[in-house]
Amino acid sequence: MTGAHLPPEVWLCIFHHVAHVPGTLVPDIYAHASLIGPIYSKSCSAALRETLVTTRALVRVCKQWWHLAIPYLYRSVYIGRARCLSSLSGTLVRSATGKGTLVATRPLGEYTQRLDIAIRDHAENAQAELDSLAALIMCMPHLAIVSFSITSNYAPSDLPSNILDALQHSAASLRVLDWSSTRLEPSASRIVDLLAKCTQLRILNCPRLVWSKELEHDCIPPTVTTLRLHALIPVQIVSAYKHLLPHFDPNTVRRPGPTALQELILDLNRDLYHWKAFLHVYSDQLVSVQLYVPTLYSINVDGHLQLLARTCPRLRRLTITSDRFSSFIRPHPHLIFPSIAYLGLRATRTQSPRPDFETLFALLLELRSSVPSLQVVQLLNEHNLQCLLKTHTRFAVRALQPFMDASPFRVEDRDGVLLTGLRRSCMMIVLGLTGFGLN
């Protein structure tokens, strides 16, 4: 049987594999919840764009392939250029009204499960383009994932009301909301209205959230399991929500109703007091916390760690991300960690000097006795790890020696490969250099 005579079921299976991008749709995306934000957006953007090009070619082959491949073309919509907004919006609106499509086909927007707004060029007519964005979102009633990861200075900082209104149209089906950029951020007051309608939301990356320990009703949907926050906005300064404040006894700490929240990701661009009340309220159920330490701020990392140790009895996983290891270790030579089983460390710089790695391994040696519950330490930036193994090879051999056999925890790369195994490769390199007289 030739390819031209394959039954439609076989072609559907082929198209499914061609259009599949791992970890980008529900439910696979839940396994990547801990990476929500710029790291996740960057990791999948190239694959999404490549798949879009492929599926766009498939629907042009013949009428049969159009019918078979069109659901895959519109399943994940990736908007990388502002100039595409008008034509895409027009296509979806015409399809929704039954115009311009083949007979007996669904409106094209009904296939869309994921929408990425990742515009990387500049606006030609910003208002018209944003109106087109609102119109095309209105044509996508089954959206499950929405990501704003704009990498240019496109559009204003605040998200227009008509786009928020359009998002509310599909709020009941949303599982993931991700604002990974500083462009088109929702206002603090309007995000409350949107989240109130997101009854199935699981993952939320939100720049600003209206919150106060005095609130009678939580602004965080009870279904959210992973939450990333940049800042909390006191409800007292948002006049539209002051009516939610009851007569409050400041000596009591309110506990939320039933909630699924287990993982909290905080950008430490605020002081310790900013997060203290929030952590006291949600600490009981947290099993994983990530701390992003900004470069240009003097942050009391030690104070945050001690707060987690005091308030999070179920905490088992902790990840710290900074531009370099010394940024958060050197100011606090004796960090007090919670009783965790997993510690992830990420230095975002791809090339680190040797003193940075010396600081890192001094911390790891101290953790062997100070955190007896620790089982795994992972170094999460692959480029930075390669810098250690290839640029500072001799140091790596010596630094990894204490973790060879008797160490109470494993030291791994992001894929779970033991660094002590990689140490043997480093030793071969060192022996080779010595043999050539390069010691």
Side-chain angles (χ1 to χ4, degrees), residues 45-66:
S45 60
L48 287 170
R49 293 199 304 269
E50 182 179 344
T51 299
L52 178 62
V53 172
T54 302
T55 52
R56 195 162 50 200
L58 293 178
V59 299
R60 296 173 178 172
V61 173
C62 63
K63 185 179 293 187
Q64 182 195 33
W65 280 29
W66 188 97

Side-chain angles (χ1 to χ4, degrees), residues 19 37 52 67 147 184-185 229 260-261 304 322 351 387 404 424:
L52 178 62
H67 278 282
S147 173
L184 296 182
E185 291 185 356
L229 284 174
L261 186 62
H304 284 85
S322 185
Q351 300 289 325
C387 174
M404 286 293 291
R424 295 183 177 88

Side-chain angles (χ1 to χ4, degrees), residues 221-351:
T223 55
V224 169
T225 59
T226 300
L227 173 65
R228 179 169 181 170
L229 284 174
H230 300 264
L232 299 171
I233 306 299
V235 71
Q236 290 87 344
I237 71 173
V238 184
S239 58
Y241 294 92
K242 286 184 178 179
H243 67 281
L244 296 177
L245 293 174
H247 296 293
F248 180 71
D249 180 359
N251 296 317
T252 64
V253 177
R254 177 186 62 86
R255 293 295 175 186
T259 177
L261 186 62
Q262 294 186 332
E263 182 170 29
L264 184 62
I265 306 170
L266 298 180
D267 286 353
L268 300 188
N269 51 10
R270 299 293 192 276
D271 60 23
L272 179 62
Y273 183 79
H274 184 83
W275 301 110
K276 192 172 183 179
F278 184 85
L279 284 171
H280 271 290
V281 168
Y282 285 97
S283 59
D284 286 348
Q285 63 266 25
L286 291 177
V287 297
S288 176
V289 170
Q290 295 188 51
L291 303 178
Y292 279 75
V293 183
T295 305
L296 302 178
Y297 293 87
S298 177
I299 297 299
N300 182 9
V301 176
D302 189 46
H304 284 85
L305 293 177
Q306 292 187 45
L307 178 61
L308 294 175
R310 291 195 307 269
T311 60
C312 301
R314 297 181 58 200
L315 188 64
R316 292 296 175 265
R317 297 177 63 89
L318 176 66
T319 302
I320 302 177
T321 299
S322 185
D323 64 327
R324 53 188 182 179
F325 299 117
S326 58
S327 296
F328 67 90
I329 298 175
R330 262 188 203 151
H332 313 285
H334 301 290
L335 290 169
I336 300 176
F337 281 80
S339 296
I340 51 176
Y342 169 91
L343 175 63
L345 298 172
R346 181 186 291 109
T348 55
R349 289 191 179 186
T350 56
Q351 300 289 325

